[in-house]
């Protein structure tokens, strides 16, 4: 068996996938409708919208299977996302890449597989719309075109989700996207008694930038600030533009002292940027830092409120 390979853009792909906040969510009619259409159009027993996570493929929509995920190593979709074209296996039992695959020799007994990669605007393939049969089959060129059309409709739904959770200006999560991701992290922290910390940041002097250099330059300052956040914090951290010139970063498995060090590293990155930017103003921020030790119950709203209060207190005190 040939294990599913890893795409060269894996880090970017996983980041885009997780920012959708779709993994482990309930079934949705907008996706189920498309898999039902695929099963009916191609007369197959199984149709899936499969999202390929780091170690598994998880099914956002699953028609004809009882399971909600399988290991990535044995997934057909893990192979499909390596290219842009439809990935077709006419008879898996005769294909050396899949003949001894557990999904072929055991349930569901895959013989035929066709998966169209779900390619979003940044070029990443997050998963596939795939159809599966327990008998060998071939697809005509017309069939391939139909599968591509249905997959394009799935991508439209994924991008609608993305637009609802991504800040259009900076490209990082917006408040809605942050809340969705942060609440999952908080729930996990409570379950396993893991600490986490929250930074609430306000870009200092933003109104002055807009007043003196114009709103286009103000937008550029927000974009640069967001890019420096992405540079400074870990891939596992959740960061977002909460609105206006306010940002938040949630750091899982980080205590307050570590969060303070992370903030100091970010300030060092800001200082280095200011040294070379040549734009006539400096980027600086005030922050409030709160932590949760994983014990007892706390709401995300309470953490955000407290961090916001601390941030404004520091701003009033001039402690930037």
């Amino acid at each position: 068996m040939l294990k599913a390979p890893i795409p060269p853009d894996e880090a970017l792909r996983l980041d885009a996938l997780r920012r959708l906040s779709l993994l482990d969510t309930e079934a949705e009619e907008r996706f189920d409708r498309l898999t039902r259409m695929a099963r009916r159009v191609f007369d197959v027993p199984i149709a899936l919208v499969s999202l390929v996570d780091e170690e598994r493929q998880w099914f956002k929509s699953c028609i004809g299977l009882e399971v909600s995920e399988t290991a990535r190593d044995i997934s057909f979709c893990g192979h499909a996302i390596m290219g842009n074209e439809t990935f077709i296996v006419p008879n898996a039992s005769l294909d050396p890449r899949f003949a001894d695959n557990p999904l072929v020799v055991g349930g569901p007994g895959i013989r035929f597989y066709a998966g169209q990669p779900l390619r979003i605007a940044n070029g990443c393939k997050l998963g596939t719309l795939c159809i599966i049969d327990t008998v060998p089959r071939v697809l005509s060129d017309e069939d391939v075109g139909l599968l591509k059309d249905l997959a394009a409709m799935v991508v439209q739904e994924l991008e609608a989700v993305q637009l609802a959770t991504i800040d259009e200006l900076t490209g990082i999560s917006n408040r809605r996207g942050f809340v969705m991701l942060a609440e999952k992290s908080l729930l996990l922290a409570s379950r396993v008694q893991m600490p986490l910390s929250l930074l609430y940041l306000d870009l200092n002097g933003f109104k002055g930038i807009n007043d003196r250099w114009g709103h286009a330059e103000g937008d550029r300052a927000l974009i640069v600030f967001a890019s420096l956040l992405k540079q400074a914090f870990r891939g596992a951290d959740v960061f977002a533009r909460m609105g206006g010139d306010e940002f938040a970063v949630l750091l899982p498995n980080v205590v307050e002292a570590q969060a303070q060090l992370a903030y100091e590293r970010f300030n060092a990155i800001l200082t280095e940027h200011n040294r070379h930017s040549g734009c006539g103003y400096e980027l600086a921020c005030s922050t409030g830092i709160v932590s949760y030790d994983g014990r007892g119950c706390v709401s995300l709203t309470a953490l955000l409120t407290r961090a916001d209060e601390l941030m404004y207190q520091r701003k009033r005190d001039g402690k930037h």
Side-chain angles (χ1 to χ4, degrees):
M1 182 192 81
L2 181 64
K3 290 184 178 181
I6 303 299
D9 63 347
E10 180 72 353
L12 180 63
R13 194 190 69 78
L14 288 174
D15 180 67
L17 174 61
R18 288 164 186 169
R19 290 186 184 281
L20 283 177
S21 299
L22 279 178
L23 294 170
D24 301 307
T25 57
E26 297 294 325
E28 295 183 59
E29 174 61 21
R30 56 178 167 172
F31 294 105
D32 289 346
R33 179 172 61 250
L34 295 171
T35 47
R36 287 198 302 269
M37 288 173 61
R39 186 167 73 162
R40 187 179 308 120
V41 166
F42 296 103
D43 191 25
V44 292
I46 300 168
L48 310 167
V49 172
S50 174
L51 300 177
V52 181
D53 197 5
E54 187 172 17
E55 295 181 351
R56 60 174 177 157
Q57 61 169 353
W58 177 79
F59 308 134
K60 177 57 183 172
S61 180
C62 179
I63 306 296
L65 276 184
E66 298 299 322
V67 298
S68 61
E69 63 182 61
T70 67
R72 179 175 179 173
D73 282 352
I74 63 173
S75 71
F76 284 62
C77 297
H79 292 267
I81 63 170
M82 295 302 295
N84 294 317
E85 295 304 313
T86 310
F87 184 78
I88 302 173
V89 181
N91 188 347
S93 66
L94 301 180
D95 191 313
R97 297 170 297 179
F98 303 105
D100 57 348
N101 187 298
L103 301 175
V104 176
V105 297
I110 295 175
R111 292 299 178 269
F112 166 80
Y113 170 93
Q116 178 61 38
L118 303 173
R119 187 174 184 267
I120 60 172
N122 68 355
C124 293
K125 277 84 72 174
L126 304 186
T128 73
L129 171 67
C130 65
I131 52 176
I132 294 170
D133 207 336
T134 55
V135 296
R137 292 184 55 161
V138 294
L139 283 187
S140 67
D141 290 342
E142 182 180 3
D143 289 336
V144 171
L146 284 170
L147 186 61
K148 287 183 175 181
D149 288 344
L150 287 173
M153 296 169 70
V154 176
V155 170
Q156 287 178 346
E157 297 296 346
L158 292 175
E159 291 181 338
V161 173
Q162 187 178 43
L163 287 173
T165 58
I166 299 297
D167 178 59
E168 185 175 359
L169 177 66
T170 62
I172 64 176
S173 293
N174 58 19
R175 176 179 286 272
R176 181 172 184 241
F178 178 83
V179 168
M180 292 172 67
L181 289 168
E183 285 186 337
K184 289 182 181 179
S185 295
L186 189 58
L187 183 63
L188 175 63
S190 176
R191 185 184 304 132
V192 302
Q193 295 192 336
M194 177 184 74
L196 57 76
S197 294
L198 173 70
L199 281 65
Y200 206 92
L201 306 106
D202 181 78
L203 184 58
N204 295 329
F206 180 63
K207 184 178 183 301
I209 296 173
N210 276 331
D211 291 346
R212 183 173 179 181
W213 281 279
H215 288 280
E217 186 62 26
D219 286 349
R220 195 181 82 84
L222 292 171
I223 292 168
V224 170
F225 190 81
S227 70
L228 295 175
L229 280 176
K230 292 170 70 175
Q231 177 183 333
F233 292 94
R234 307 169 303 173
D237 299 330
V238 181
F239 42 88
R241 181 186 177 201
M242 303 298 279
D245 57 354
E246 295 184 352
F247 296 78
V249 185
L250 187 80
L251 299 90
N253 204 22
V254 167
V255 298
E256 186 168 345
Q258 293 171 315
Q260 182 64 43
L261 289 174
Y263 174 60
E264 291 171 7
R265 286 198 303 271
F266 175 59
N267 262 332
I269 289 173
L270 282 179
T271 300
E272 185 66 17
H273 164 78
N274 291 330
R275 184 175 293 121
H276 302 287
S277 70
C279 58
Y281 58 86
E282 293 190 348
L283 293 179
C285 65
S286 300
T287 187
I289 302 175
V290 295
S291 294
Y292 167 59
D293 63 6
R295 292 176 292 184
C297 295
V298 66
S299 70
L300 178 62
T301 299
L303 290 176
L304 285 169
T305 299
R306 181 57 181 155
D308 186 49
E309 290 171 349
L310 289 171
M311 182 266 291
Y312 275 106
Q313 181 180 325
R314 291 180 66 86
K315 185 179 283 286
R316 288 192 299 268
D317 294 343
K319 296 177 181 178
H320 301 161

